[in-house]
Amino acid sequence: MDTYLRLAIQKKGRLSDDSLSLLKECGIKFSNGTGKLMAASRNFPIEFLFLRDDDIPGYVADGVADIGIAGENVVLEKNKNVSIVKRLGFSKCRLSLAIPKGHTYEGLTYFNGKSIATSYPNILGQFLQQNSINAEIHEISGSVEIAPGIGLAEAICDLVSTGSTLLSNGLKEVETVLRSEAVLIAGESLTEAKQSILNNLLFRLESVQEGRNNKYILLNAPNEKLDEIISYLPGMRSPTIMPLAQKGWSSLHSVINEDAFWEVIENLKKAGAEGILVVPIEKMIK
Ligand code: ATP
Ligand code: ZN
């Protein structure tokens, strides 16, 4: 029988769309009929298991799935026997402490003797312990943000992305407990065949991520400025330089990193670059 790597992903929710589109960008084709629990890829030895996100670390630890995509927050909270093999860069959010808007906040000691509602008792408990804060944790499974309003707790610890839910419940964010993003997790012992499929998947994920983090840039420059312009363009090796029909001018092609993007563009313009074109890269193989 052929070996398949079994990947657990969230059935429906904030992780689903980005997980599926990342896999598609990796060239992995499959059809996910709605309501199905499992699907297999048509062109890559991988099977999908569609689950609730909370169950993913446990299924991977038990070996029902070989790997999984889940929020780091859930992975740390469940504390199962799995390891993070890749950070995926989407579903970014933070787990934060929030208190009633009107209260003054002067530091973590605010929480001494207070009760805090959360769905993340383990992560919060560890955080409080590390900071020597003595607070009471109320574990609740949903709608944590309404807890102070109904008198269930004096503060909350919950996931935040923009903070608008907090504001509309009369709360303000005062401390970040954890920064989270989607991560790829794996169980402890994969067979050699499965490990080799995972390595292939990781290679594809890296090529897609590198492509997203870089841009292809083309520009024209007077020849006497080339040295200065090249000094701003690291490229994969060095820029490609081609003569233009117009005498004394060249066309230059290179790759630049998204992080340094605007700074590089400003330097290039100052150095005399013209007709700068920036093009997205679909995949980048190192
Ligand atoms: P399930 O039905 O699978 O249990 P859920 O309601 O528990 O779903 P979602 O709300 O879909 O979970 O969130 C899944 C994950 O997405 C979270 O664990 C977290 O990692 C991330 N996430 C949560 N809130 C946000 C947000 N506001 N912005 C971005 N990512 C978020
Ligand atoms: Zn969930």
Side-chain angles (χ1 to χ4, degrees):
M1 207 179 82
D2 289 342
T3 305
Y4 280 86
L5 189 69
R6 196 180 274 180
L7 166 65
I9 54 178
Q10 191 188 22
K11 187 176 175 62
K12 191 169 181 290
R14 288 192 155 107
L15 293 160
S16 319
D17 287 350
D18 287 340
S19 303
L20 290 174
S21 44
L22 185 60
L23 294 164
K24 284 202 176 118
E25 277 186 71
C26 289
I28 298 171
K29 295 207 170 105
F30 56 91
S31 49
N32 61 321
T34 41
K36 278 208 299 193
L37 177 67
M38 281 185 75
S41 168
R42 285 180 267 128
N43 62 351
F44 194 82
I46 200 162
E47 275 178 337
F48 302 91
L49 204 55
F50 302 102
L51 300 170
R52 284 200 57 192
D53 69 337
D54 315 67
D55 297 333
I56 292 175
Y59 275 63
V60 172
D62 294 344
V64 176
D66 301 305
I67 58 172
I69 296 178
E72 202 180 354
N73 51 307
V74 168
V75 175
L76 294 178
E77 179 62 28
K78 299 290 173 190
N79 196 19
K80 302 281 183 189
N81 208 5
V82 298
S83 49
I84 293 178
V85 288
K86 187 142 198 63
R87 312 184 70 79
L88 299 174
F90 59 84
S91 292
K92 285 193 175 165
C93 56
R94 50 192 190 275
L95 186 64
S96 290
L97 283 160
I99 65 169
K101 231 182 319 199
H103 288 197
T104 30
Y105 183 77
E106 279 164 353
L108 272 176
T109 51
Y110 172 92
F111 294 99
N112 269 323
K114 295 254 181 351
S115 58
I116 310 173
T118 189
S119 311
Y120 295 87
N122 291 330
I123 297 176
L124 177 60
Q126 210 172 43
F127 176 82
L128 294 175
Q129 198 185 5
Q130 275 162 5
N131 289 284
S132 308
I133 301 295
N134 220 325
E136 192 191 326
I137 299 176
H138 268 285
E139 183 180 356
I140 53 176
S141 60
S143 305
V144 172
E145 66 285 351
I146 64 167
I150 59 172
L152 185 68
E154 295 164 281
I156 67 162
C157 177
D158 202 10
L159 290 179
V160 184
S161 58
T162 61
S164 58
T165 314
L166 290 181
L167 276 182
S168 61
N169 283 283
L171 299 170
K172 63 178 177 188
E173 186 179 356
V174 290
E175 296 282 346
T176 306
V177 173
L178 173 80
R179 282 181 194 286
S180 177
E181 65 186 87
V183 291
L184 184 69
I185 54 172
E188 288 298 283
S189 49
L190 293 183
T191 61
E192 213 172 297
K194 288 186 174 185
Q195 184 64 46
S196 122
I197 303 171
L198 175 58
N199 291 346
N200 189 343
L201 176 67
L202 286 171
F203 172 75
R204 292 188 185 198
L205 285 170
E206 266 148 39
S207 305
V208 170
Q209 282 184 336
E210 279 296 308
R212 286 181 181 176
N213 291 340
N214 288 280
K215 298 269 182 270
Y216 194 77
I217 178 165
L218 305 90
L219 58 87
N220 296 332
N223 287 346
E224 70 272 16
K225 294 284 189 177
L226 280 180
D227 285 342
E228 185 185 351
I229 286 180
I230 289 168
S231 73
Y232 298 126
L233 292 171
M236 284 231 267
R237 296 225 184 275
S238 51
T240 308
I241 302 174
M242 284 173 285
L244 288 183
Q246 185 179 351
K247 237 179 148 180
W249 281 73
S250 297
S251 164
L252 227 128
H253 299 196
S254 189
V255 171
I256 56 179
N257 195 281
E258 182 85 335
D259 296 336
F261 182 77
W262 289 109
E263 200 189 315
V264 172
I265 298 285
E266 270 159 39
N267 286 333
L268 294 174
K269 280 184 67 179
K270 269 190 220 138
E274 287 180 15
I276 302 174
L277 286 182
V278 179
V279 187
I281 297 173
E282 192 181 293
K283 298 196 176 55
M284 192 163 146
I285 318 294
K286 273 195 170 164

